[in-house]
Amino acid sequence: MIELAPSLLAADVMNLGREIERMLQTGVRILHYDVMDAHFVPNLSFGPSLCRKIHAQFPDVRLDVHLMLDNPEKYVQVFADAGAESITVHREIADDVGPVLEKIRALGVKCGLSVKPGTGADTLLPYLKQVDAILIMTVEPGFGGQKFMPQQMEKIRFLRRAGFEKTISVDGGVSLENAPLLVQAGATRRVMGTAFFRVPDAAAVAEAVRCMG
Ligand code: DX5
Ligand code: ZN
């Protein structure tokens, strides 16, 4: 089953409530929520207070929080309290990410681990049993609207060959055009910013993704 997680980063920030309603009307429940700190990535985005507000106003929305932060361990509690269903941290933030993954699990939240394009999928191997999901970046994290990197699909095949059967998400430049590549490689969740929130007919996009499996 292929899941779709629209990225709030591409939504109209002046009308976020309406944008989330628009997403719900397409039948999609998972909202990808990018958190950036201007250190780990060269940009700033949303913090915990907006996450809390969205959870309060739209309790059916499943918040997929992607922490592009140095020292994410300082913020996992606050995002768990703000209603995150899952919290993803980056492999690059520490030599050993085991402790922060454990901290997320202990909060009763699903934990995810992500790699930037330059980080090998082999660095994820020690953590495959500990995580609920892997998120493969197909752009350099920090900005929406960038070009998809198809060569990253090899990481998905590598993880499936290594026996990882849980969720694999793909984030960055994902569109209906490159979606078949994701399916063939074995990805089960696609994050879509621009290709969902900035098209005239998001419902058609949601329907097309559903038809892919
Ligand atoms: C990039 C973010 C992505 C971004 C995707 O650092 O992690 O979630 O919003 O947006 P698009 O789909 O426009 O590349
Ligand atoms: Zn993201």
Short mmCIF file of all heavy atoms in Angstrom, two decimals, residues 7 9 32-36 66 68 135 137 171-172 191, ligand 2:
data_model
loop_
_atom_site.label_atom_id
_atom_site.label_comp_id
_atom_site.label_asym_id
_atom_site.label_seq_id
_atom_site.Cartn_x
_atom_site.Cartn_y
_atom_site.Cartn_z
N SER A 7 3.65 17.63 1.85
CA SER A 7 4.55 18.41 2.72
C SER A 7 4.01 19.82 2.91
O SER A 7 3.84 20.57 1.94
CB SER A 7 5.94 18.47 2.10
OG SER A 7 6.74 19.34 2.86
N LEU A 9 5.37 22.37 3.78
CA LEU A 9 6.28 23.41 3.32
C LEU A 9 5.80 24.06 2.01
O LEU A 9 6.07 25.23 1.77
CB LEU A 9 7.67 22.78 3.10
CG LEU A 9 8.89 23.68 3.12
CD1 LEU A 9 9.05 24.36 4.46
CD2 LEU A 9 10.15 22.86 2.81
N HIS A 32 3.17 15.73 6.13
CA HIS A 32 4.62 15.79 6.38
C HIS A 32 4.96 17.19 6.88
O HIS A 32 4.62 18.19 6.24
CB HIS A 32 5.36 15.46 5.08
CG HIS A 32 6.83 15.35 5.23
ND1 HIS A 32 7.45 14.22 5.74
CD2 HIS A 32 7.82 16.22 4.94
CE1 HIS A 32 8.76 14.40 5.74
NE2 HIS A 32 9.01 15.61 5.26
N TYR A 33 5.65 17.24 8.03
CA TYR A 33 5.87 18.52 8.72
C TYR A 33 7.39 18.72 8.87
O TYR A 33 8.04 18.08 9.70
CB TYR A 33 5.18 18.43 10.09
CG TYR A 33 5.09 19.73 10.85
CD1 TYR A 33 3.97 20.56 10.72
CD2 TYR A 33 6.10 20.12 11.71
CE1 TYR A 33 3.89 21.74 11.44
CE2 TYR A 33 6.02 21.30 12.43
CZ TYR A 33 4.90 22.11 12.29
OH TYR A 33 4.80 23.29 13.00
N ASP A 34 7.95 19.61 8.06
CA ASP A 34 9.39 19.83 8.03
C ASP A 34 9.82 20.86 9.07
O ASP A 34 9.31 21.98 9.09
CB ASP A 34 9.81 20.35 6.64
CG ASP A 34 9.76 19.28 5.58
OD1 ASP A 34 10.34 18.20 5.80
OD2 ASP A 34 9.16 19.52 4.53
N VAL A 35 10.80 20.47 9.88
CA VAL A 35 11.33 21.36 10.91
C VAL A 35 12.81 21.61 10.61
O VAL A 35 13.60 20.68 10.54
CB VAL A 35 11.16 20.73 12.31
CG1 VAL A 35 11.65 21.70 13.39
CG2 VAL A 35 9.70 20.35 12.56
N MET A 36 13.15 22.88 10.40
CA MET A 36 14.52 23.25 9.99
C MET A 36 15.10 24.27 10.96
O MET A 36 14.38 25.14 11.44
CB MET A 36 14.50 23.85 8.59
CG MET A 36 13.88 22.95 7.55
SD MET A 36 13.92 23.75 5.94
CE MET A 36 13.00 22.56 4.97
N HIS A 66 9.49 15.69 10.43
CA HIS A 66 10.84 15.47 9.88
C HIS A 66 11.75 16.53 10.48
O HIS A 66 11.70 17.70 10.10
CB HIS A 66 10.75 15.60 8.35
CG HIS A 66 12.05 15.44 7.63
ND1 HIS A 66 12.19 15.75 6.29
CD2 HIS A 66 13.26 14.99 8.03
CE1 HIS A 66 13.43 15.50 5.91
NE2 HIS A 66 14.11 15.06 6.95
N MET A 68 14.95 18.31 10.73
CA MET A 68 16.24 18.62 10.10
C MET A 68 16.99 19.56 11.04
O MET A 68 17.08 20.77 10.81
CB MET A 68 16.00 19.25 8.72
CG MET A 68 15.55 18.22 7.69
SD MET A 68 14.80 18.95 6.24
CE MET A 68 13.12 19.10 6.81
N LEU A 135 13.61 7.28 5.86
CA LEU A 135 13.25 8.33 4.91
C LEU A 135 14.47 8.64 4.04
O LEU A 135 15.51 9.05 4.56
CB LEU A 135 12.77 9.58 5.66
CG LEU A 135 12.25 10.73 4.80
CD1 LEU A 135 11.17 11.50 5.55
CD2 LEU A 135 13.34 11.68 4.43
N MET A 137 16.21 10.89 1.39
CA MET A 137 16.13 12.22 0.78
C MET A 137 16.57 12.13 -0.69
O MET A 137 17.65 11.60 -0.98
CB MET A 137 17.06 13.22 1.50
CG MET A 137 16.67 13.59 2.91
SD MET A 137 15.05 14.36 3.12
CE MET A 137 15.04 15.65 1.89
N ASP A 171 11.56 11.59 -0.04
CA ASP A 171 11.27 13.01 0.20
C ASP A 171 12.17 13.89 -0.66
O ASP A 171 13.39 13.84 -0.51
CB ASP A 171 11.50 13.30 1.70
CG ASP A 171 11.10 14.71 2.09
OD1 ASP A 171 10.52 15.43 1.26
OD2 ASP A 171 11.39 15.09 3.26
N GLY A 172 11.54 14.69 -1.52
CA GLY A 172 12.30 15.67 -2.31
C GLY A 172 12.06 15.51 -3.80
O GLY A 172 12.48 14.52 -4.39
N VAL A 191 6.56 11.53 0.02
CA VAL A 191 6.30 12.89 0.48
C VAL A 191 6.18 13.73 -0.79
O VAL A 191 7.00 13.60 -1.69
CB VAL A 191 7.47 13.39 1.35
CG1 VAL A 191 7.27 14.86 1.74
CG2 VAL A 191 7.62 12.51 2.59
ZN ZN B 2 10.80 16.54 4.67
#
